[in-house]
Amino acid sequence: MRTVKKLTGLGVDAQIVLVNKNPYHYQTTELHEVAAGTKEPADITFDVARTFANKKNVQVLIDEVIRIDQDAKSVELKNNAPLQYDYLVNSLGFESETFGIKGANENGWPIVDIDTALAARKHLEDTLKRYKSSHDPNDLRIIVCGAGFTSIEYIGELVYRMPKLAKQYGFPLDEVKIECIEAGPRILGMFDQNLSQWGVEYLEKKGVNFHVSTPITEVKSNAVMSNDQEFTANTIIWTTGVRGSHVIADSGYDQKRNRVVVADDLRVNGQPDQFLIGDVSGVANPGNGRLYPTTAQISIAEADCAAQNLAALLKGQPTKKFVFNALGTVCSLGPKVGIASIDMFGHWNLKGWIAGVAKKLIADRSTLELTNIRTMLGND
Ligand code: NAD
């Protein structure tokens, strides 16, 4: 969506078809808030067709992409006839990754789109509500699988909302147990030690138990196994990571976990009419040759670069190399608090409400750039 918005501002003479599965677009960085119930879907979504209502050369088509026929240069859709293209920008996003762990699909609640976030929230609320009549301690136990950003940000929202839920559903707050189970040796290991420690202690003080070096090997209907160790709970949130859209593998790309390593101008090697950006794209850091992690920040930069390079091709000009200057990392620990490592005008480690403000400013700026000031202020 951002690429289209940018392209329309670059004065290209082209017919653009934007295919989107839903009539709305959502900020993926805020899905954990919908799952925890601190935000409603309307707070993080906006209408795609309305965003482009006054752009005559943009057609919005609500449909699901099934496959890309790279030889025939066509996009196969679920409900409409295939679309032929001269140029394709593929930004089909991510899906939950289970790494083939037994029972993860069936028994874990992922947070990967609006529907799954709402389903996870409904299950949590129903289970907490049930405690009043069941008195089953597992109804008050929540296991969060993995301790990546999604898990930690979800837990931050959850501990913020829990006192209100306890009041609403009449369960004892001090009997709620949130267990976060992580395979790696550290929590928030991407931050400096003092910052990650502050974040971990902040959540521990709110009753969260972290288990590191504890790889999950199986997920049962009300238990998570790490080899012989068993953790029981009636709510199991599955946030152990993501993979790109299955359409990538289904379309025969040379891929790993549905991510394709692209050329330095974001085009697909051997397919000069295709750009791949976001979670389906593997972009190498020229500094060390390793792929950048797929974050919202890099996806935004890729969308802008793909728009500029596509405009250049349409004007018969050469493309430019993608350059990424990371501005840092922010991890929220609830609606108002967080930790942040910012690289702007020097290096800044922030913790507490100031990091929460930084996160909100970044989210608002992203919404503003995609839509308009009314949407950002919540008046749409
Ligand atoms: P992630 O890959 O960042 O984290 C998943 C975590 O689960 C890892 O710590 C991993 O060690 C753990 N894990 C995997 N398998 C496990 C197992 N079997 N048992 C126990 N633990 C296991 O995934 P994510 O949190 O969904 O984030 C996806 C991407 O989006 C990442 O690149 C992330 O940086 C980005 N993101 C960024 C932000 C932010 O910048 N604030 C917020 C959300 C997501």
Side-chain angles (χ1 to χ4, degrees):
M1 189 160 156
R2 188 179 171 105
T3 308
V4 175
K5 184 106 195 210
K6 275 271 159 188
L7 262 182
T8 57
L10 292 171
V12 294
D13 182 19
Q15 278 302 315
I16 303 167
V17 183
L18 173 58
V19 182
N20 202 50
K21 191 170 160 187
N22 303 299
Y24 56 83
H25 175 76
Y26 51 92
Q27 298 283 33
T28 53
T29 48
E30 294 172 60
L31 282 171
H32 62 280
E33 290 161 89
V34 172
T38 48
K39 276 194 179 166
E40 297 301 326
D43 299 328
I44 73 160
T45 54
F46 39 87
D47 190 292
V48 182
R50 232 167 110 193
T51 305
F52 298 105
N54 60 353
K55 302 286 178 197
K56 286 202 177 67
N57 62 337
V58 179
Q59 180 201 348
V60 174
L61 184 62
I62 306 304
D63 206 337
E64 188 177 333
V65 174
I66 301 298
R67 197 178 149 264
I68 291 150
D69 185 334
Q70 301 183 73
D71 297 330
K73 293 179 73 164
S74 89
V75 177
E76 294 171 15
L77 303 169
K78 192 172 180 183
N79 300 314
N80 286 281
L83 284 173
Q84 297 295 133
Y85 63 82
D86 295 314
Y87 291 100
L88 178 72
V89 179
N90 182 333
S91 51
L92 285 169
F94 63 84
E95 296 170 357
S96 175
E97 172 65 278
T98 64
F99 302 103
I101 291 171
K102 193 175 165 196
N105 259 332
E106 297 80 2
N107 302 312
W109 294 91
I111 304 175
V112 286
D113 55 24
I114 295 286
D115 289 346
T116 52
L118 280 177
R121 171 175 168 179
K122 183 173 182 326
H123 174 82
L124 172 77
E125 290 176 358
D126 288 350
T127 310
L128 294 172
K129 200 173 176 177
R130 192 171 60 200
Y131 179 81
K132 210 173 169 184
S133 53
S134 73
H135 296 288
D136 176 356
N138 280 335
D139 280 346
L140 296 188
R141 288 199 185 125
I142 299 148
I143 294 176
V144 178
C145 302
F149 276 107
T150 306
S151 303
I152 298 295
E153 294 196 327
Y154 170 75
I155 292 172
E157 300 295 316
L158 204 56
V159 295
Y160 175 83
R161 191 171 176 231
M162 205 50 88
K164 282 189 204 140
L165 286 170
K167 224 180 229 175
Q168 190 178 351
Y169 298 136
F171 61 80
L173 185 60
D174 55 357
E175 285 183 33
V176 173
K177 291 202 166 30
I178 300 173
E179 313 285 345
C180 178
I181 304 178
E182 165 61 40
R186 258 188 82 188
I187 307 288
L188 296 169
M190 64 299 281
F191 290 102
D192 289 352
Q193 177 78 33
N194 68 336
L195 216 51
S196 57
Q197 197 174 330
W198 188 90
V200 168
E201 284 171 8
Y202 175 84
L203 293 176
E204 280 176 342
K205 274 189 216 135
K206 297 198 176 281
V208 180
N209 297 312
F210 289 100
H211 306 269
V212 291
S213 305
T214 310
I216 295 165
T217 47
E218 186 180 348
V219 185
K220 297 182 177 171
S221 64
N222 52 9
V224 166
M225 305 297 298
S226 176
N227 299 312
D228 293 338
Q229 210 178 347
E230 185 182 63
F231 301 85
T232 64
N234 284 342
T235 298
I236 298 168
I237 302 293
W238 187 258
T239 40
T240 56
V242 296
R243 53 162 59 209
S245 163
H246 65 277
V247 171
I248 295 298
D250 294 351
S251 305
Y253 288 91
D254 182 10
Q255 51 80 34
K256 201 168 168 198
R257 290 174 65 194
N258 292 333
R259 246 179 126 186
V260 180
V261 178
V262 292
D264 58 10
D265 64 356
L266 305 181
R267 284 190 285 177
V268 180
N269 289 305
Q271 299 282 352
D273 44 19
Q274 281 191 52
F275 291 87
L276 243 64
I277 59 173
D279 296 278
V280 292
S281 181
V283 181
N285 178 341
N288 57 20
R290 299 202 341 234
L291 297 185
Y292 286 111
T294 54
T295 62
Q297 201 184 133
I298 197 169
S299 297
I300 287 170
E302 287 168 19
D304 292 351
C305 175
Q308 272 150 3
N309 278 344
L310 182 45
L313 290 175
L314 290 166
K315 291 174 188 169
Q317 295 164 357
T319 57
K320 289 194 175 135
K321 282 184 186 175
F322 172 71
V323 179
F324 182 54
N325 296 312
L327 299 175
T329 311
V330 187
C331 181
S332 64
L333 304 170
K336 296 178 182 146
V337 177
I339 55 176
S341 166
I342 307 281
D343 292 304
M344 249 190 315
F345 311 114
H347 180 74
W348 304 85
N349 278 341
L350 308 175
K351 55 190 182 235
W353 65 269
I354 185 80
V357 170
K359 175 107 203 241
K360 173 133 182 55
L361 286 176
I362 293 166
D364 283 352
R365 190 181 136 196
S366 163
T367 307
L368 178 63
E369 285 173 356
L370 271 178
T371 56
N372 56 44
I373 192 85
R374 278 173 62 82
T375 305
M376 189 194 92
L377 295 173
N379 294 336
D380 267 9

